[in-house]
Amino acid sequence: GAVVSQHPSRVICKSGTSVKIECRSLDFQATTMFWYRQFPKQSLMLMATSNEGSKATYEQGVEKDKFLINHASLTLSTLTVTSAHPEDSSFYICSARVRKNEQYFGPGTRLTVT
Amino acid sequence: GQQLNQSPQSMFIQEGEDVSMNCTSSSIFNTWLWYKQDPGEGPVLLIALYKAGELTSNGRLTAQFGITRKDSFLNISASIPSDVGIYFCAGQETGTASKLTFGTGTRLQVTL
């Protein structure tokens, strides 16, 4: 149980375009999902907390107008990187809170902006 | 944001050896989690700890929640090649809802 999927696994886009990443809980309902960013050889940095049916809570320094998060159902949260630039290239990982404070992670999405 | 101090940063060990790594914080945590991440993948939850002093095992892995609530350690016994990867601790501070703070990671390499 507690399987989280992400789509796409890899995406390459041109600078200035927008990219949407989906995060799905496959066998459970997730009222709370999280979006992280990870640079090579670094740890995970929380970007935002996504709550079903309400606005996402962004961490300090994360631009909410650039990283749009929508959590419209109990099994799906999306992250849209708007007007992407090369510095947005990174590994984006979502997670879902299952019980207590345990988070189960998706396989990640590698974004490359050219 | 805050990161937990994790040590060692990396370690090279021989197959069959035991491994120990730890995580410390300046804040009190009410949850400690240990994850393993393989290259290009998302982290996989190994062990979850919820009480100070709690000692929990998962196969060859054993983790403990420090009694000060500011540290945790993970032991791997009789390491095997598939133990290679990056191990992250993660903690939840009191009063931070369900957000996790991640450690800096320990890169483990196992030689035959």
Side-chain angles (χ1 to χ4, degrees):
Chain A
V3 179
V4 178
S5 71
Q6 265 183 259
H7 179 80
S9 57
R10 291 177 178 270
V11 57
I12 301 173
C13 71
K14 292 188 176 179
S15 189
T17 61
S18 296
V19 173
K20 181 186 283 189
I21 302 170
E22 293 184 347
C23 178
R24 293 182 185 273
S25 57
L26 297 186
D27 51 0
F28 65 100
Q29 293 183 331
T31 55
T32 305
M33 290 183 169
F34 303 86
W35 287 95
Y36 294 82
R37 185 172 180 175
Q38 186 178 34
F39 290 107
K41 299 188 186 302
Q42 293 190 21
S43 187
L44 286 76
M45 295 300 294
L46 179 65
M47 298 175 66
T49 302
S50 169
N51 294 297
E52 187 267 336
S54 64
K55 290 183 180 179
T57 303
Y58 291 81
E59 294 301 298
Q60 194 172 10
V62 177
E63 298 176 59
K64 63 180 181 181
D65 294 331
K66 180 167 185 62
F67 297 100
L68 301 179
I69 291 173
N70 185 281
H71 193 159
S73 80
L74 287 171
T75 58
L76 174 65
S77 176
T78 60
L79 169 68
T80 301
V81 183
T82 63
S83 187
H85 290 284
E87 57 266 30
D88 298 324
S89 298
S90 189
F91 193 50
Y92 292 87
I93 319 175
C94 70
S95 71
R97 185 166 69 94
V98 176
R99 53 183 163 269
K100 292 187 179 180
N101 296 314
E102 295 174 22
Q103 290 183 25
Y104 285 76
F105 285 82
T109 297
R110 173 77 57 195
L111 170 64
T112 303
V113 185
T114 61
Chain B
Q2 178 191 175
Q3 280 195 331
L4 301 174
N5 293 317
Q6 201 171 330
S7 66
Q9 251 188 333
S10 65
M11 49 198 318
F12 290 78
I13 61 167
Q14 287 196 322
E15 185 177 7
E17 288 184 348
D18 296 344
V19 174
S20 185
M21 60 191 78
N22 66 67
C23 204
T24 60
S25 167
S26 57
S27 306
I28 289 176
F29 281 70
N30 57 31
T31 301
W32 285 98
L33 305 172
W34 284 92
Y35 289 88
K36 177 176 183 270
Q37 186 178 29
D38 291 327
E41 302 286 335
V44 174
L45 181 63
L46 301 174
I47 293 179
L49 303 160
Y50 292 102
K51 293 181 183 177
E54 181 180 354
L55 185 72
T56 298
S57 293
N58 177 6
R60 293 178 296 106
L61 279 60
T62 301
Q64 184 158 29
F65 193 138
I67 57 173
T68 65
R69 298 173 65 188
K70 292 184 177 181
D71 61 351
S72 177
F73 72 75
L74 174 71
N75 284 346
I76 305 173
S77 62
S79 57
I80 57 178
S82 61
D83 290 334
V84 165
I86 302 178
Y87 292 80
F88 288 103
C89 62
Q92 195 236 333
E93 286 183 71
T94 305
T96 59
S98 48
K99 292 197 302 185
L100 294 179
T101 299
F102 275 79
T104 47
T106 294
R107 184 179 299 270
L108 178 63
Q109 302 222 21
V110 180
T111 56
L112 297 174

PDB file of all heavy atoms in Angstrom, chain B residues 88-111:
ATOM      1  N   PHE B  88      18.766   9.300   4.249  1.00  0.00           N
ATOM      2  CA  PHE B  88      18.363  10.583   4.811  1.00  0.00           C
ATOM      3  C   PHE B  88      17.578  10.359   6.091  1.00  0.00           C
ATOM      4  O   PHE B  88      16.682   9.506   6.145  1.00  0.00           O
ATOM      5  CB  PHE B  88      17.456  11.354   3.844  1.00  0.00           C
ATOM      6  CG  PHE B  88      18.150  11.910   2.636  1.00  0.00           C
ATOM      7  CD1 PHE B  88      18.025  11.286   1.401  1.00  0.00           C
ATOM      8  CD2 PHE B  88      18.915  13.068   2.721  1.00  0.00           C
ATOM      9  CE1 PHE B  88      18.651  11.795   0.275  1.00  0.00           C
ATOM     10  CE2 PHE B  88      19.552  13.583   1.596  1.00  0.00           C
ATOM     11  CZ  PHE B  88      19.424  12.945   0.382  1.00  0.00           C
ATOM     12  N   CYS B  89      17.893  11.159   7.089  1.00  0.00           N
ATOM     13  CA  CYS B  89      17.002  11.226   8.232  1.00  0.00           C
ATOM     14  C   CYS B  89      16.032  12.381   7.967  1.00  0.00           C
ATOM     15  O   CYS B  89      16.330  13.293   7.187  1.00  0.00           O
ATOM     16  CB  CYS B  89      17.769  11.468   9.528  1.00  0.00           C
ATOM     17  SG  CYS B  89      18.669  13.040   9.563  1.00  0.00           S
ATOM     18  N   ALA B  90      14.896  12.324   8.597  1.00  0.00           N
ATOM     19  CA  ALA B  90      13.921  13.408   8.487  1.00  0.00           C
ATOM     20  C   ALA B  90      13.198  13.499   9.818  1.00  0.00           C
ATOM     21  O   ALA B  90      12.913  12.480  10.453  1.00  0.00           O
ATOM     22  CB  ALA B  90      12.936  13.156   7.352  1.00  0.00           C
ATOM     23  N   GLY B  91      12.924  14.719  10.227  1.00  0.00           N
ATOM     24  CA  GLY B  91      12.251  14.892  11.498  1.00  0.00           C
ATOM     25  C   GLY B  91      11.124  15.897  11.404  1.00  0.00           C
ATOM     26  O   GLY B  91      11.127  16.760  10.518  1.00  0.00           O
ATOM     27  N   GLN B  92      10.196  15.745  12.312  1.00  0.00           N
ATOM     28  CA  GLN B  92       9.105  16.699  12.390  1.00  0.00           C
ATOM     29  C   GLN B  92       9.171  17.418  13.724  1.00  0.00           C
ATOM     30  O   GLN B  92       9.128  16.777  14.782  1.00  0.00           O
ATOM     31  CB  GLN B  92       7.751  16.013  12.249  1.00  0.00           C
ATOM     32  CG  GLN B  92       6.611  16.984  11.973  1.00  0.00           C
ATOM     33  CD  GLN B  92       5.488  16.888  12.978  1.00  0.00           C
ATOM     34  OE1 GLN B  92       5.291  15.843  13.561  1.00  0.00           O
ATOM     35  NE2 GLN B  92       4.763  17.963  13.179  1.00  0.00           N
ATOM     36  N   GLU B  93       9.334  18.746  13.637  1.00  0.00           N
ATOM     37  CA  GLU B  93       9.402  19.550  14.856  1.00  0.00           C
ATOM     38  C   GLU B  93       8.016  19.733  15.438  1.00  0.00           C
ATOM     39  O   GLU B  93       7.036  19.827  14.702  1.00  0.00           O
ATOM     40  CB  GLU B  93       9.962  20.945  14.541  1.00  0.00           C
ATOM     41  CG  GLU B  93      11.437  21.000  14.266  1.00  0.00           C
ATOM     42  CD  GLU B  93      11.889  22.421  14.033  1.00  0.00           C
ATOM     43  OE1 GLU B  93      11.924  23.201  15.007  1.00  0.00           O
ATOM     44  OE2 GLU B  93      12.186  22.759  12.875  1.00  0.00           O
ATOM     45  N   THR B  94       7.966  19.861  16.720  1.00  0.00           N
ATOM     46  CA  THR B  94       6.718  20.161  17.400  1.00  0.00           C
ATOM     47  C   THR B  94       6.181  21.488  16.893  1.00  0.00           C
ATOM     48  O   THR B  94       6.919  22.462  16.778  1.00  0.00           O
ATOM     49  CB  THR B  94       6.950  20.261  18.917  1.00  0.00           C
ATOM     50  OG1 THR B  94       7.559  19.053  19.356  1.00  0.00           O
ATOM     51  CG2 THR B  94       5.641  20.473  19.653  1.00  0.00           C
ATOM     52  N   GLY B  95       4.921  21.511  16.548  1.00  0.00           N
ATOM     53  CA  GLY B  95       4.299  22.751  16.115  1.00  0.00           C
ATOM     54  C   GLY B  95       4.475  23.101  14.656  1.00  0.00           C
ATOM     55  O   GLY B  95       4.183  24.226  14.248  1.00  0.00           O
ATOM     56  N   THR B  96       4.990  22.172  13.860  1.00  0.00           N
ATOM     57  CA  THR B  96       5.176  22.473  12.437  1.00  0.00           C
ATOM     58  C   THR B  96       4.223  21.658  11.577  1.00  0.00           C
ATOM     59  O   THR B  96       4.536  21.318  10.442  1.00  0.00           O
ATOM     60  CB  THR B  96       6.627  22.185  11.990  1.00  0.00           C
ATOM     61  OG1 THR B  96       6.922  20.810  12.231  1.00  0.00           O
ATOM     62  CG2 THR B  96       7.600  23.076  12.717  1.00  0.00           C
ATOM     63  N   ALA B  97       3.059  21.350  12.124  1.00  0.00           N
ATOM     64  CA  ALA B  97       2.072  20.543  11.411  1.00  0.00           C
ATOM     65  C   ALA B  97       2.738  19.245  10.977  1.00  0.00           C
ATOM     66  O   ALA B  97       3.404  18.596  11.755  1.00  0.00           O
ATOM     67  CB  ALA B  97       1.505  21.322  10.232  1.00  0.00           C
ATOM     68  N   SER B  98       2.618  18.881   9.716  1.00  0.00           N
ATOM     69  CA  SER B  98       3.177  17.606   9.279  1.00  0.00           C
ATOM     70  C   SER B  98       4.427  17.779   8.423  1.00  0.00           C
ATOM     71  O   SER B  98       4.876  16.836   7.788  1.00  0.00           O
ATOM     72  CB  SER B  98       2.109  16.823   8.524  1.00  0.00           C
ATOM     73  OG  SER B  98       1.485  17.645   7.563  1.00  0.00           O
ATOM     74  N   LYS B  99       5.012  18.968   8.424  1.00  0.00           N
ATOM     75  CA  LYS B  99       6.195  19.195   7.595  1.00  0.00           C
ATOM     76  C   LYS B  99       7.392  18.433   8.140  1.00  0.00           C
ATOM     77  O   LYS B  99       7.587  18.316   9.340  1.00  0.00           O
ATOM     78  CB  LYS B  99       6.545  20.691   7.572  1.00  0.00           C
ATOM     79  CG  LYS B  99       5.533  21.537   6.852  1.00  0.00           C
ATOM     80  CD  LYS B  99       6.096  22.887   6.484  1.00  0.00           C
ATOM     81  CE  LYS B  99       6.601  23.668   7.685  1.00  0.00           C
ATOM     82  NZ  LYS B  99       7.042  25.024   7.292  1.00  0.00           N
ATOM     83  N   LEU B 100       8.213  17.946   7.231  1.00  0.00           N
ATOM     84  CA  LEU B 100       9.438  17.268   7.606  1.00  0.00           C
ATOM     85  C   LEU B 100      10.643  18.118   7.246  1.00  0.00           C
ATOM     86  O   LEU B 100      10.660  18.797   6.229  1.00  0.00           O
ATOM     87  CB  LEU B 100       9.568  15.929   6.878  1.00  0.00           C
ATOM     88  CG  LEU B 100       8.559  14.830   7.213  1.00  0.00           C
ATOM     89  CD1 LEU B 100       8.830  13.587   6.372  1.00  0.00           C
ATOM     90  CD2 LEU B 100       8.604  14.494   8.701  1.00  0.00           C
ATOM     91  N   THR B 101      11.658  18.050   8.089  1.00  0.00           N
ATOM     92  CA  THR B 101      12.958  18.639   7.797  1.00  0.00           C
ATOM     93  C   THR B 101      13.907  17.489   7.517  1.00  0.00           C
ATOM     94  O   THR B 101      13.955  16.520   8.278  1.00  0.00           O
ATOM     95  CB  THR B 101      13.476  19.445   9.000  1.00  0.00           C
ATOM     96  OG1 THR B 101      12.552  20.495   9.282  1.00  0.00           O
ATOM     97  CG2 THR B 101      14.833  20.046   8.686  1.00  0.00           C
ATOM     98  N   PHE B 102      14.661  17.598   6.419  1.00  0.00           N
ATOM     99  CA  PHE B 102      15.535  16.503   6.015  1.00  0.00           C
ATOM    100  C   PHE B 102      16.986  16.741   6.410  1.00  0.00           C
ATOM    101  O   PHE B 102      17.451  17.883   6.473  1.00  0.00           O
ATOM    102  CB  PHE B 102      15.455  16.296   4.499  1.00  0.00           C
ATOM    103  CG  PHE B 102      14.313  15.420   4.114  1.00  0.00           C
ATOM    104  CD1 PHE B 102      13.023  15.928   4.065  1.00  0.00           C
ATOM    105  CD2 PHE B 102      14.503  14.080   3.844  1.00  0.00           C
ATOM    106  CE1 PHE B 102      11.944  15.109   3.751  1.00  0.00           C
ATOM    107  CE2 PHE B 102      13.440  13.255   3.523  1.00  0.00           C
ATOM    108  CZ  PHE B 102      12.158  13.776   3.481  1.00  0.00           C
ATOM    109  N   GLY B 103      17.666  15.645   6.682  1.00  0.00           N
ATOM    110  CA  GLY B 103      19.095  15.700   6.945  1.00  0.00           C
ATOM    111  C   GLY B 103      19.878  15.889   5.672  1.00  0.00           C
ATOM    112  O   GLY B 103      19.329  15.843   4.566  1.00  0.00           O
ATOM    113  N   THR B 104      21.175  16.080   5.840  1.00  0.00           N
ATOM    114  CA  THR B 104      22.056  16.347   4.710  1.00  0.00           C
ATOM    115  C   THR B 104      22.422  15.078   3.944  1.00  0.00           C
ATOM    116  O   THR B 104      22.970  15.160   2.860  1.00  0.00           O
ATOM    117  CB  THR B 104      23.331  17.036   5.202  1.00  0.00           C
ATOM    118  OG1 THR B 104      23.824  16.322   6.344  1.00  0.00           O
ATOM    119  CG2 THR B 104      23.040  18.474   5.614  1.00  0.00           C
ATOM    120  N   GLY B 105      22.116  13.923   4.505  1.00  0.00           N
ATOM    121  CA  GLY B 105      22.329  12.673   3.776  1.00  0.00           C
ATOM    122  C   GLY B 105      23.647  12.001   4.088  1.00  0.00           C
ATOM    123  O   GLY B 105      24.658  12.671   4.361  1.00  0.00           O
ATOM    124  N   THR B 106      23.639  10.686   4.066  1.00  0.00           N
ATOM    125  CA  THR B 106      24.859   9.872   4.191  1.00  0.00           C
ATOM    126  C   THR B 106      24.917   8.971   2.971  1.00  0.00           C
ATOM    127  O   THR B 106      24.011   8.174   2.739  1.00  0.00           O
ATOM    128  CB  THR B 106      24.836   9.010   5.464  1.00  0.00           C
ATOM    129  OG1 THR B 106      24.881   9.844   6.606  1.00  0.00           O
ATOM    130  CG2 THR B 106      26.025   8.051   5.478  1.00  0.00           C
ATOM    131  N   ARG B 107      25.998   9.128   2.190  1.00  0.00           N
ATOM    132  CA  ARG B 107      26.170   8.314   0.990  1.00  0.00           C
ATOM    133  C   ARG B 107      26.937   7.062   1.369  1.00  0.00           C
ATOM    134  O   ARG B 107      28.064   7.130   1.871  1.00  0.00           O
ATOM    135  CB  ARG B 107      26.925   9.097  -0.078  1.00  0.00           C
ATOM    136  CG  ARG B 107      27.078   8.363  -1.400  1.00  0.00           C
ATOM    137  CD  ARG B 107      27.830   9.235  -2.410  1.00  0.00           C
ATOM    138  NE  ARG B 107      27.101  10.453  -2.681  1.00  0.00           N
ATOM    139  CZ  ARG B 107      26.193  10.607  -3.641  1.00  0.00           C
ATOM    140  NH1 ARG B 107      25.919   9.581  -4.440  1.00  0.00           N
ATOM    141  NH2 ARG B 107      25.581  11.746  -3.832  1.00  0.00           N
ATOM    142  N   LEU B 108      26.315   5.918   1.140  1.00  0.00           N
ATOM    143  CA  LEU B 108      26.926   4.644   1.518  1.00  0.00           C
ATOM    144  C   LEU B 108      27.355   3.884   0.267  1.00  0.00           C
ATOM    145  O   LEU B 108      26.575   3.713  -0.675  1.00  0.00           O
ATOM    146  CB  LEU B 108      25.919   3.801   2.305  1.00  0.00           C
ATOM    147  CG  LEU B 108      26.383   2.403   2.729  1.00  0.00           C
ATOM    148  CD1 LEU B 108      27.554   2.509   3.684  1.00  0.00           C
ATOM    149  CD2 LEU B 108      25.241   1.625   3.375  1.00  0.00           C
ATOM    150  N   GLN B 109      28.620   3.462   0.283  1.00  0.00           N
ATOM    151  CA  GLN B 109      29.122   2.625  -0.800  1.00  0.00           C
ATOM    152  C   GLN B 109      29.643   1.339  -0.179  1.00  0.00           C
ATOM    153  O   GLN B 109      30.353   1.369   0.821  1.00  0.00           O
ATOM    154  CB  GLN B 109      30.227   3.346  -1.566  1.00  0.00           C
ATOM    155  CG  GLN B 109      29.764   4.674  -2.130  1.00  0.00           C
ATOM    156  CD  GLN B 109      30.258   4.910  -3.539  1.00  0.00           C
ATOM    157  OE1 GLN B 109      30.608   3.995  -4.236  1.00  0.00           O
ATOM    158  NE2 GLN B 109      30.304   6.151  -3.956  1.00  0.00           N
ATOM    159  N   VAL B 110      29.282   0.226  -0.758  1.00  0.00           N
ATOM    160  CA  VAL B 110      29.680  -1.076  -0.252  1.00  0.00           C
ATOM    161  C   VAL B 110      30.557  -1.762  -1.282  1.00  0.00           C
ATOM    162  O   VAL B 110      30.163  -1.909  -2.442  1.00  0.00           O
ATOM    163  CB  VAL B 110      28.455  -1.959   0.042  1.00  0.00           C
ATOM    164  CG1 VAL B 110      28.886  -3.313   0.575  1.00  0.00           C
ATOM    165  CG2 VAL B 110      27.521  -1.265   1.024  1.00  0.00           C
ATOM    166  N   THR B 111      31.735  -2.164  -0.828  1.00  0.00           N
ATOM    167  CA  THR B 111      32.645  -2.866  -1.737  1.00  0.00           C
ATOM    168  C   THR B 111      32.636  -4.353  -1.407  1.00  0.00           C
ATOM    169  O   THR B 111      32.409  -4.753  -0.257  1.00  0.00           O
ATOM    170  CB  THR B 111      34.076  -2.324  -1.600  1.00  0.00           C
ATOM    171  OG1 THR B 111      34.483  -2.423  -0.227  1.00  0.00           O
ATOM    172  CG2 THR B 111      34.138  -0.866  -2.018  1.00  0.00           C
TER     173      THR B 111
END
